[in-house]
Amino acid sequence: MNLQETIWPSTEIDPRDKRQHHFQGSAICVRGHQFSTRLEPKEPEFIPDKCTTCGKEILVKCPNCNNRIRGHKAGNGLFEFNDIPNPGFCDVCAYLFPWASRADKIYELENRLDAEDIDEDNRKIINTELEKLINPNLSEEDQHRIWARVSEKAGQALRNPAVTQLIENIASKVIVARMGL
């Protein structure tokens, strides 16, 4: 794995400047298995091309903008020892990573719907309904009711291919079929 092709924010290029905080980089497989959250731009570390847990590709940079994937915060004598969750989004371009959680995908759906022509009252209802879908323990029937309300309020905005693709990734096949997507 080659870190040299990875773009690092200018404030993170020289992590030896202990006067300021910076974020280290991460190496995470596309299924979300962490290899490292402490990569530094000037300190090469061996990173395998494939995950030793599942065999999938390991990413060290955002597939969209090539910036490092955010890891631990360091600098000014700070060194975190705790585990950190995988970021759902690139902190530079807001790309949704492949390992994103259900909540991250719903936030991305809200972001995409915000770009659509939906009146403000309907947008508020849609966002309230989508927040309910973050709960992974909702029954299929409750999810269907929520998606039906989102569909009613969003109208043609759900026909945008990028929106439809996200919904297909979040909702069950049965619900997607019931929505006519």
Side-chain angles (χ1 to χ4, degrees):
M1 183 72 50
N2 188 349
L3 282 177
Q4 292 176 338
E5 298 170 1
T6 303
I7 298 170
W8 294 75
S10 60
T11 57
E12 298 173 10
I13 294 298
D14 189 2
R16 299 198 194 317
D17 180 359
K18 303 296 183 197
R19 295 172 302 208
Q20 61 183 347
H21 290 100
H22 68 280
F23 287 97
Q24 296 170 309
S26 289
I28 305 170
C29 94
V30 297
R31 289 193 175 131
H33 301 117
Q34 282 185 6
F35 183 79
S36 176
T37 58
R38 300 195 178 281
L39 304 178
E40 294 285 0
K42 295 185 178 182
E43 295 177 9
E45 180 177 326
F46 172 75
I47 302 164
D49 290 332
K50 303 291 182 184
C51 178
T52 57
T53 301
C54 70
K56 292 299 278 185
E57 174 188 8
I58 292 178
L59 301 178
V60 294
K61 60 186 177 181
C62 172
N64 186 56
C65 71
N66 291 329
N67 273 280
R68 61 91 186 98
I69 297 170
R70 186 171 170 169
H72 271 91
K73 190 173 186 179
N76 201 19
L78 173 69
F79 193 82
E80 297 179 324
F81 291 98
N82 58 322
D83 291 336
I84 61 169
N86 293 342
F89 295 88
C90 174
D91 65 329
V92 175
C93 73
Y95 175 82
L96 182 69
F97 289 123
W99 55 78
S101 68
R102 177 181 178 86
D104 294 332
K105 292 173 186 175
I106 289 170
Y107 296 141
E108 178 64 9
L109 179 58
E110 288 176 352
N111 295 342
R112 290 186 186 181
L113 288 173
D114 283 346
E116 297 293 322
D117 186 25
I118 301 171
D119 74 66
E120 199 55 39
D121 290 338
N122 284 339
R123 187 177 309 285
K124 287 178 185 175
I125 293 168
I126 291 166
N127 288 345
T128 299
E129 294 300 314
L130 289 175
E131 288 292 321
K132 294 175 188 175
L133 288 170
I134 292 174
N135 179 353
N137 300 318
L138 287 175
S139 70
E140 185 86 8
E141 201 48 49
D142 286 341
Q143 289 183 56
H144 171 65
R145 230 181 341 273
I146 292 167
W147 282 112
R149 183 138 164 110
V150 168
S151 181
E152 170 194 336
K153 298 300 178 182
Q156 286 302 105
L158 297 187
R159 302 291 177 227
N160 175 324
V163 170
T164 301
Q165 180 183 16
L166 257 177
I167 293 171
E168 289 171 347
N169 197 287
I170 299 168
S172 72
K173 291 183 189 308
V174 170
I175 290 173
V176 169
R178 284 177 165 180
M179 292 174 70
L181 298 178

